[in-house]
Amino acid sequence: MSQIPRTHTSLMERSGVLALILLLPSAIIIFGLLIAPMCSSLMISLTKMDLLNPLTSREFIGLSNYIEAFQNPLFWAAFGKTWYFALFTVLIETGLGIGVALILNQDFRGRSFVRGLIILPWALPYVVNGIMWKWIFDANYGAFNGLLSQIGLIKSYQIWLGNPVAAFHIVIFANIWKETPVAVLLILAALQSVPKELYEAARVDGATGLQCLRKIVLPMLKPVIMVVMILKTIWALKEFDLIYVMTKGGPADATNVLTYYIYQNTFKFLKFGYGSALAYILTLAAVGLVMLYIKNLLKEQELES
Amino acid sequence: MNHDLGKKATLEGVKYVRNFINNDNRNFTGLQKSFRSDQISKKKKLGRVLLYIAVVLICVTILAPYTWLIISSLSYRVDLTAIPLHWIPQKINLENYREIFFSSTGASSPNRDLRYGFLNSLIIAVSSTLICLFAGTLAAYAFTRLNFKGKKPLYLLILITQFLPLAVLIIPLYVIMKNLGLLNTRLALILADCSFILPMMIWLMRSYFMSVPKDLEEVARIDGCSRFGTIFRIIIPLSTPGLTACGIFAFIIAWNEFFTAFILSSTLKSKTISVLLSEFSSKVGIDYVAMASAGVIASLPPVIMALVFQRYIVQGLTGGAVKG
């Protein structure tokens, strides 16, 4: 590569200055709207910012909010529900993602049509998704009741969203329906990078389809599956919109996951300090997970090299 | 890399073993040969049938709920509240759509308010997309082609921000917007959307830029083009598919966003269509048809964009994530 003569390096040519200019707009947005709020959030979480008692606002109370959270059974209930939600969602979405991706990787007529169709649930706004499933599971006239009773599986219409356990799992299902396409697309892309000759060679050696799957495909998919699982867990931990639209945390707090609990405490009970502490606990959980993943990834890279 | 060698070896191996098997086949008697190929093709046929059943199941699972929403929006309540349920309405009901699109006189109605929501969503989504594309492209170029102090930690910081739950940002954002007097403005929502779309844009654009060969820039710079100029004359034109993918991505995410819009808006001045939709049930009560039609309207832009540009979106999703 030829060297560019550096006799007249204008200001714009120097890497440092150019980088500064290029990064400026992003820096303003990210620092102003992400980093600053994050720090501010930390500060608020250390105060007793209760908008119902303005006299005690901004009173520095250290870690009291955090301690209050850890002593509050409601917090632990929400915490537990969040992790159940995340675990259930991730496991099923990943499993379904692999299954559907494997199917979509086969040759069949109309394949590109179906592959294009897959993106539909992801494109739906969260609120529309919530309304749609709420309507389908409506107690009086919902399609689910209608279908089941027409087939003869139930005698009378059930109040699905009124039953705490059922409601929780319906919300999980609605989330899975919307989010699985992303997993499918990611895994499908990885599947497509597996050269076809590997399959043929294994087939010729007498390997059945199942053996092909276990010995060839799954090992090659491991990195993608890890990415998918981590992304999905983080997104599941963040889920709020669906719960607000479908059940508003109910029935009887059945779907009151941590994000909804944070919303309740902050914008309904106006306990900004407590809410901020809760939000930070959630953040630490999410970031902790990412750190674990990065550690794992680095370890694997070390083993490979 | 291992792949290439492996590919060559397996190709040779496949050819050899195939010949061997074919030769073997010729030694069977006619009856045995046809029986064996019958068995193989029966198994194949069963496999194909199962495959198509699975594909149909997938299509139904994806399409049925949304189709039902559309059908519901076009039905009369009489059909929807009938038991047993009328899956296909006897008459098509266009009342709600007519009210949403065409009614102009009289008192405000939830359906007409949807227009404001639609407009707000449009303005906010387009503005966020343009801002993030602009800032993101410049930043991504800096991370790809330039070397400067603090490059790695800065990029790591940007990556980590993607994993922050909105909950932790929304409280201070609310306070900031309140102090700036920006509560219930479109600008506040645009800024809020940018805050979490921008890191994603930088991440995605960076992986696209990395696939643009460096030599082209070198040539242009020798020809006298400034560094800044190469961005606009070479990199951007070459990564147009990537830019389009990111733009569509950003638009859909901004349009679908609910939580920040919900918290930061309070009147029709800034409420997005998602927010209006979340309040619809309290306004129209048990008017399921109106809810459904509102839902369909709210979902049309992202769904249409996703279906029309699905190739770009798939590229966007997989290009960034899988390469890391």
Side-chain angles (χ1 to χ4, degrees):
Chain A
M1 276 204 212
S2 46
Q3 281 286 9
I4 299 155
R6 282 204 175 290
T7 45
H8 299 291
T9 323
S10 77
L11 207 64
M12 289 290 259
E13 291 291 314
R14 296 222 296 266
S15 273
V17 177
L18 187 60
L20 195 69
I21 298 178
L22 290 179
L23 289 176
L24 203 61
S26 302
I28 295 176
I29 295 177
I30 291 183
F31 276 90
L33 296 170
L34 274 179
I35 312 286
M38 285 262 353
C39 300
S40 176
S41 193
L42 189 61
M43 292 314 310
I44 296 178
S45 76
L46 298 175
T47 69
K48 192 179 174 62
M49 191 166 169
D50 187 339
L51 293 192
L52 287 178
N53 295 329
L55 290 174
T56 61
S57 247
R58 305 311 174 92
E59 189 184 299
F60 187 78
I61 54 172
L63 294 175
S64 295
N65 282 325
Y66 292 90
I67 298 176
E68 185 185 338
F70 290 128
Q71 287 176 337
N72 191 341
L74 289 176
F75 164 74
W76 288 110
F79 198 67
K81 296 200 183 80
T82 307
W83 285 105
Y84 181 85
F85 184 88
L87 201 70
F88 213 100
T89 308
V90 171
L91 287 180
I92 296 193
E93 278 180 28
T94 312
L96 274 180
I98 298 178
V100 175
L102 283 173
I103 293 176
L104 291 187
N105 199 31
Q106 307 294 321
D107 270 313
F108 57 87
R109 271 218 296 246
R111 178 170 81 164
S112 39
F113 172 72
V114 182
R115 281 186 187 175
L117 206 61
I118 269 267
I119 204 129
L120 179 68
W122 172 82
L124 280 185
Y126 297 97
V127 181
V128 177
N129 192 39
I131 287 182
M132 184 176 73
W133 289 107
K134 198 171 174 189
W135 169 225
I136 289 179
F137 283 97
D138 184 70
N140 295 319
Y141 309 113
F144 192 62
N145 272 327
L147 185 68
L148 287 191
S149 76
Q150 274 178 18
I151 300 182
L153 280 177
I154 56 176
K155 285 226 177 93
S156 63
Y157 282 14
Q158 305 286 327
I159 311 179
W160 301 104
L161 289 174
N163 176 323
V165 174
F168 194 32
H169 288 89
I170 290 176
V171 170
I172 292 179
F173 171 71
N175 194 39
I176 292 176
W177 183 84
K178 185 179 192 304
E179 298 284 348
T180 305
V182 175
V184 171
L185 287 174
L186 287 175
I187 298 177
L188 186 61
L191 272 179
Q192 285 176 323
S193 64
V194 175
K196 282 210 166 140
E197 291 81 15
L198 275 177
Y199 290 118
E200 288 180 356
R203 271 297 148 67
V204 155
D205 277 348
T208 64
L210 207 62
Q211 282 175 325
C212 267
L213 190 67
R214 275 173 50 216
K215 296 281 173 69
I216 303 181
V217 174
L218 284 185
M220 288 204 78
L221 285 184
K222 227 164 118 189
V224 179
I225 295 182
M226 283 229 72
V227 173
V228 166
M229 288 186 79
I230 286 292
L231 279 180
K232 291 284 169 189
T233 315
I234 305 279
W235 292 345
L237 291 178
K238 288 203 225 177
E239 188 58 50
F240 171 78
D241 307 353
L242 193 62
I243 293 168
Y244 179 79
V245 175
M246 280 189 89
T247 56
K248 293 225 176 13
D253 273 348
T255 56
N256 197 349
V257 294
L258 197 51
T259 42
Y260 194 81
Y261 184 61
I262 294 174
Y263 160 72
Q264 254 186 343
N265 278 283
T266 313
F267 294 100
K268 280 190 149 169
F269 306 152
L270 296 182
K271 292 161 78 175
F272 274 49
Y274 185 52
S276 293
L278 294 172
Y280 244 90
I281 295 176
L282 180 62
T283 311
L284 288 175
V287 173
L289 216 69
V290 176
M291 291 300 176
L292 258 174
Y293 169 62
I294 295 182
K295 232 188 180 180
N296 229 329
L297 194 68
L298 289 177
K299 236 194 244 174
E300 270 187 32
Q301 280 185 352
E302 266 180 42
L303 286 174
E304 273 172 33
S305 61
Chain B
M1 237 186 60
N2 282 337
H3 266 300
D4 279 358
L5 273 176
K7 255 191 191 175
K8 257 199 187 159
T10 51
L11 270 172
E12 289 301 331
V14 165
K15 270 193 225 156
Y16 175 75
V17 180
R18 264 204 184 135
N19 276 327
F20 187 72
I21 288 186
N22 283 334
N23 284 330
D24 222 25
N25 234 0
R26 269 186 234 135
N27 288 333
F28 288 147
T29 65
L31 201 65
Q32 286 175 305
K33 234 201 286 186
S34 67
F35 180 66
R36 206 168 145 215
S37 54
D38 258 357
Q39 269 198 322
I40 296 176
S41 71
K42 255 200 195 148
K43 229 183 169 184
K44 264 195 181 164
K45 264 197 190 150
L46 185 66
R48 297 301 284 180
V49 167
L50 285 178
L51 179 67
Y52 276 98
I53 292 181
V55 170
V56 166
L57 263 173
I58 293 175
C59 288
V60 166
T61 314
I62 294 176
L63 285 176
Y66 191 54
T67 313
W68 176 237
L69 189 72
I70 298 179
I71 294 180
S72 299
S73 73
L74 294 170
S75 314
Y76 279 101
R77 280 203 63 199
V78 142
D79 287 316
L80 289 182
T81 56
I83 297 177
L85 192 52
H86 291 172
W87 296 105
I88 311 260
Q90 291 168 340
K91 280 201 293 183
I92 302 248
N93 175 5
L94 291 173
E95 267 318 302
N96 283 298
Y97 288 110
R98 199 177 304 154
E99 207 185 340
I100 294 175
F101 284 118
F102 299 122
S103 91
S104 50
T105 57
S108 74
S109 74
N111 272 338
R112 272 182 53 214
D113 289 345
L114 285 178
R115 283 188 221 163
Y116 297 103
F118 198 91
L119 188 66
N120 286 335
S121 282
L122 197 63
I123 295 178
I124 292 171
V126 170
S127 309
S128 305
T129 304
L130 291 177
I131 295 178
C132 288
L133 272 181
F134 174 70
T137 310
L138 295 182
Y141 179 78
F143 280 113
T144 320
R145 291 283 191 258
L146 302 178
N147 280 310
F148 49 91
K149 254 203 292 206
K151 178 167 155 183
K152 265 215 180 117
L154 217 69
Y155 189 63
L156 205 64
L157 191 68
I158 291 180
L159 280 188
I160 293 188
T161 57
Q162 286 207 44
F163 299 117
L164 299 176
L166 270 178
V168 79
L169 300 167
I170 196 61
I171 300 168
L173 264 183
Y174 181 81
V175 175
I176 291 176
M177 295 302 172
K178 188 161 184 224
N179 292 335
L180 287 176
L182 282 180
L183 272 186
N184 198 29
T185 61
R186 287 194 277 251
L187 181 59
L189 296 184
I190 295 175
L191 292 175
D193 282 349
C194 282
S195 75
F196 57 84
I197 295 181
L198 184 59
M200 205 183 304
M201 288 291 109
I202 297 179
W203 182 46
L204 289 173
M205 289 309 306
R206 181 172 163 268
S207 60
Y208 276 110
F209 284 165
M210 291 206 289
S211 64
V212 174
K214 264 190 173 171
D215 313 324
L216 290 169
E217 287 167 77
E218 294 287 347
V219 168
R221 291 189 59 192
I222 293 173
D223 281 351
C225 188
S226 73
R227 198 131 206 194
F228 205 66
T230 60
I231 303 180
F232 288 102
R233 301 239 187 99
I234 307 235
I235 304 244
I236 289 185
L238 276 180
S239 3
T240 319
L243 281 169
T244 321
C246 288
I248 294 167
F249 217 64
F251 180 86
I252 293 182
I253 293 180
W255 182 280
N256 291 348
E257 205 283 319
F258 171 70
F259 195 17
T260 49
F262 174 60
I263 300 287
L264 293 175
S265 65
S266 50
T267 71
L268 280 180
K269 195 171 117 186
S270 65
K271 281 190 182 170
T272 61
I273 200 166
S274 276
V275 177
L276 283 180
L277 208 53
S278 71
E279 304 170 343
F280 224 59
S281 60
S282 59
K283 288 195 188 141
V284 301
I286 50 173
D287 191 349
Y288 305 109
V289 186
M291 287 279 287
S293 45
V296 171
I297 295 287
S299 64
L300 276 181
V303 165
I304 292 180
M305 287 197 82
L307 290 178
V308 168
F309 295 108
Q310 35 113 328
R311 201 160 295 162
Y312 285 108
I313 297 180
V314 172
Q315 261 188 1
L317 270 178
T318 58
V322 179
K323 284 188 207 150

